[in-house]
């Protein structure tokens, strides 16, 4: 596997996980959204990463910004990792 394909798959994986985080956030708008199999799957996939940001108390005016910050940090980390891979490999 060459560097270009490694970067491609890394970015696609991060993009997919960001979409899953967005879907997880949207499910909170629906009563019982996490009670079905899809909601439980998203909770099992997304909550471990989101727990990292719970200690920062990112709720303002009754609105939680945890998922937005988590997606931002994920995308920032991916960009830094890509730059590292390009420069050092």
């Amino acid at each position: 596997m060459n560097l270009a394909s490694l970067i491609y798959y890394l970015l696609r994986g991060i993009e997919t996980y960001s979409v899953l985080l967005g879907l997880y956030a949207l499910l909170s708008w629906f009563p019982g959204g996490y009670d079905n199999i899809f909601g439980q799957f998203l909770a099992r996939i997304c909550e471990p990463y989101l727990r990292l940001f719970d200690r920062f108390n990112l709720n303002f005016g009754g609105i939680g910004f945890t998922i937005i910050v988590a997606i931002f940090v994920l995308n920032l980390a991916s960009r830094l990792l890509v730059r590292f891979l390009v420069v050092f490999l």
Side-chain angles (χ1 to χ4, degrees):
M1 180 183 288
N2 61 14
L3 180 62
S5 62
L6 176 67
I7 291 172
Y8 174 79
Y9 289 121
L10 175 70
L11 292 177
R12 293 297 77 94
I14 290 171
E15 181 180 310
T16 302
Y17 194 69
S18 295
V19 169
L20 291 175
L21 287 169
L23 290 173
Y24 179 80
L26 288 175
L27 278 180
S28 69
W29 294 356
F30 300 103
Y34 301 115
D35 294 338
N36 59 33
I37 190 90
F38 182 67
Q40 292 171 359
F41 169 75
L42 283 178
R44 193 171 36 244
I45 297 296
C46 297
E47 286 178 359
Y49 177 63
L50 293 173
R51 271 190 234 121
L52 297 172
F53 299 94
D54 283 342
R55 66 183 125 182
F56 298 117
N57 193 18
L58 299 170
N59 296 322
F60 303 104
I63 300 173
F65 292 95
T66 303
I67 292 178
I68 293 171
V69 171
I71 291 172
F72 176 76
V73 169
L74 184 65
N75 287 314
L76 179 66
S78 72
R79 290 174 191 228
L80 292 174
L81 185 60
V82 167
R83 286 187 185 204
F84 174 79
L85 289 173
V86 169
V87 169
F88 290 107
L89 296 179

